Amino acid sequence: MNRYLMMVKITLLLNCIGNSKKIQMNEAQIKIIRKAKSIVKNGDRVRCRKCPGTLRTFTFSHWDVCWMVSKSGIDDYSPLSIDKINGKEIHLKK
């Protein structure tokens, strides 16, 4: 699948799950999400930034399109802001 079609598909999926604004992701963001999906497993303790910029640690449960879902069901954690997994620093933007 070419990259443009993949970005359109992600945009459509995000719009279908209730986001009122169109969300477009660039190639670098898509790579980070793919890398996170290959690394983060069910039960991992993940630390990332959540609006308005506070650090949160949660137990990962599953993926909802491109959002991480916690064990308690909160589904608005972005893999773009992960800085630790199970207490180990991680740099997905490399």
Side-chain angles (χ1 to χ4, degrees):
M1 177 182 304
N2 78 34
R3 292 179 180 151
Y4 174 76
L5 289 176
M6 186 171 30
M7 288 191 317
V8 169
K9 185 177 179 182
I10 290 172
T11 301
L12 291 173
L13 285 171
L14 290 173
N15 287 334
C16 289
I17 61 171
N19 292 328
S20 59
K21 297 179 183 175
K22 276 191 174 179
I23 296 174
Q24 297 235 345
M25 296 185 182
N26 64 34
E27 192 175 323
Q29 292 170 322
I30 291 169
K31 284 181 182 179
I32 292 169
I33 292 168
R34 282 186 181 157
K35 192 185 258 188
K37 283 187 173 190
S38 70
I39 294 172
V40 181
K41 306 293 181 219
N42 186 9
D44 283 348
R45 299 285 294 157
V46 179
R47 188 175 87 167
C48 66
R49 293 203 180 276
K50 190 172 177 200
C51 280
T54 57
L55 286 170
R56 300 287 175 96
T57 301
F58 65 95
T59 302
F60 176 79
S61 173
H62 62 278
W63 291 94
D64 183 6
V65 185
C66 66
W67 299 101
M68 297 180 293
V69 182
S70 70
K71 188 172 125 179
S72 63
I74 298 171
D75 67 348
D76 61 347
Y77 295 102
S78 171
L80 302 174
S81 65
I82 295 173
D83 70 342
K84 286 187 179 182
I85 298 175
N86 295 324
K88 295 181 183 177
E89 285 191 26
I90 188 159
H91 303 284
L92 296 175
K93 296 179 183 177
K94 288 184 179 178

